[in-house]
Amino acid sequence: MKKTSLSIVFSLFLSGMISAQNKITLNTDLAKTKIDKHIYGHFAEHLGKCIYGGMYVGENNTKIPNTNGVRNDVIKALKDLKVPNLRWPGGCFADTYQWKDGIGPKAKRPSMINAWWGGVTEDNSFGTHDFLDLCERIGAEPYLAGNVGSGTVKDLTDWVTYVNHPTGSPMSELRKQNGREKPWNVKIWGVGNEAWGCGGNMTAEHYSNIYRQYATFMADWSNTGGLYRIASGASDGDYAWTETLMKNIPHNMLSGVALHHYSVLSWGDKGPSVDFTEAQYFKTMDEAWKMEEFVTRHSTIMDKYDPAKKIALVVDEWGGWYNVEAGTNPGFLYQQNTMRDAMIAGITLNIFNNHADRVRVANLAQIVNVLQSVILTNEEKMLLTPTYHVMKMYNVHQDATLVPISIESASYEYQGKKLTAVSASASKDATGSLNVSLTNIDFAKPQEVTINLRGEDFTKVSGQILASAKINDFNSFENPNKIAVQDFKGAKLEKGVLKLTLPAYSVVVLNLKK
C-alpha cells in the first residue's frame, strides 16, 4: 500500500507534514484487569435488511448457500470475527415483539407490522429457535432483549422458561414439541430497551420499579450461575438516569446498566455516509471521542453506589449513524461504511478496553446492512466492511489482560478546534505476548509514535494495518477488497523502545513477543 511506504513517511517527515511525536508508556508488569471478550459484541435487530435478506434468506433459497436459512458466508464471517455475544431482536423492535409468534411451524406463525422500522410486514419466520441456533453455530452467547414496554411479566418469564428450563414445565414441553430437546441456557437478558424513549417513555423512577418487578420473576434453572440481567440505561450524558437506577434497584437484582451513544452529526441532518467533508468528519470524530467522557462519568456515578465494580456498564448500542443511501427505504437505516467508520471503531474499542474495570459488555449497531455494519449483502454478494476488519484486528484483546497505558498525543486541529489524534490500548494474552492497538484519526497528518515498554523485555514485533488512499474510501460489491488488512513492517523495537509512524486515518495493531 502506498500510504505505508517508509520512503513516503520519511519525505513527509522532512517536509514537516508529520505531526509532533506522540509518547506512550506501557507498564506491562502492572497488568491485572481482564478485558472481557463481551466488549466485542454485536447487535441484530428486525430492522431493514439486517435479518431478512441479510443474515436470513430462507430455508428454500437455492441461489444462496445457507444452513437452515442463514447464509453460509455470513456464518463463516461471524465465526472468523469471534463474535462473543449477539443481541436480538432489538432495539425499539424488542418492546413490540411477541416471542410466542416466532415459534412453531412457520406456515402457522402470525404476521405483524414493524411500526418502528419502515412499516413492513414481519412474518416471524426468523424466531427464537432460528436465532439461538445461529448463536450456537457462530460460537456466540445470545443476548435476548425482553419486551417490557408493551409486554407483560408473564410474557418475559415464559420466554426465560422456554429457553432455559430443562423439562417438566409447560414452556419447556412446548420447546420440545417445537424440536429442541435441551435448553439453550441463555444467560444474558435485557430487561427492556431505551425505557426513556421507544421502550415506554418512562421516567427513571418509574422504570426502576418496573425493572424490580420484572427481574423478581425472572428465574434460572440451568445452574450456570444465574441470569445476567441488564437494565435499560441512559442515552449519552443522562447521568441522572444512571444515578436513579443505581440508587433504586437492589444490586443483587442487577448485573449491568446499559448506555447508548451514536456518533451522529445531528438528529435533524445526519450527513452523508460517503461524500462527507472534513468539517463533517471532524464533528463525527468529536462525537466518537465523547464516549470517553460518557463512560468515565457514568462509571463515576456507579462507583459511588458500587465501589467493588460488581455491576457492569453495558454499552449495548454504539456506532456511526448517517443519512440512508439514496433510493433506499428511510426506515431501513442502510448506509455505506468508509475509513471514517474504521476510525470510530478504533477509538471506541480502545476506550472500552481502557475502562475494562467497568465496561464488560458492548454491542456495535448493527451486524448486517444496518448503521455501522460489519457485513453488507446484496442478493448473492457479500462484503466485509472496514469496521469488520478493525474488530477482527482488535479481537486479540478478547479476555486478555489490560496493560496500564499513559498517552501524550498530538492534536488533530480543524478551524481552531482540537481533538486527540492518537488513541491506543494494550493487553497481554495467555501466551505472554503483548498486543497494542493504535488509531490515528488525523485527516491529513501521519503521527510519529514512541512507545516505552516498562516491566518486561520483548524482542520481536510484527503488525497489521488498515489504511486507504482516501478517508471516503469504502468496499463495494464491485470492489469488495479495496480496503483490506495488510502486514505492517514499520515498527522498530530497540532496548525497550518501540517507534513507528501511523499514516493519517489508519489503524495499526502490533504484536510483541519475548
Side-chain angles (χ1 to χ4, degrees), residues 3 20 35 44 47 52 54 71 89 94 98 107 127 182 223 247 276 288 293 297 314 345 406 470 472 504:
K3 283 181 62 61
I35 298 174
L47 196 174
Y52 302 110
R71 298 178 64 122
Q98 302 298 320
K182 295 181 179 179
N223 297 315
K247 179 173 62 176
F276 50 87
E293 174 190 343
R297 293 187 63 182
V314 177
S406 64
K470 297 178 181 178
N472 309 81

Side-chain angles (χ1 to χ4, degrees), residues 35-42 84 349 353 362 391 394 397-398:
I35 298 174
D36 198 306
K37 67 180 180 180
H38 289 294
I39 284 173
Y40 290 81
H42 292 262
L349 293 172
N353 289 345
M391 295 203 76
Y394 272 51
H397 294 303
Q398 291 188 18

Side-chain angles (χ1 to χ4, degrees), residues 59-118:
E59 292 87 339
N60 298 322
N61 192 310
T62 58
K63 294 172 59 179
I64 302 173
N66 66 85
T67 301
N68 294 335
V70 179
R71 298 178 64 122
N72 290 343
D73 51 5
V74 169
I75 291 173
K76 181 182 184 306
L78 297 182
K79 288 177 70 173
D80 291 345
L81 196 57
K82 298 182 180 178
V83 174
N85 75 80
L86 185 56
R87 182 175 180 239
W88 177 86
C92 292
F93 182 81
D95 281 295
T96 62
Y97 183 62
Q98 302 298 320
W99 70 269
K100 290 177 183 176
D101 292 344
I103 59 173
K106 297 196 177 188
K108 296 182 179 181
R109 295 181 187 178
S111 297
M112 63 174 285
I113 298 299
N114 190 337
W116 282 112
W117 305 118

Side-chain angles (χ1 to χ4, degrees), residues 317-328:
E317 289 189 30
W318 67 271
W321 194 326
Y322 320 117
N323 292 335
V324 302
E325 298 305 304
T328 66

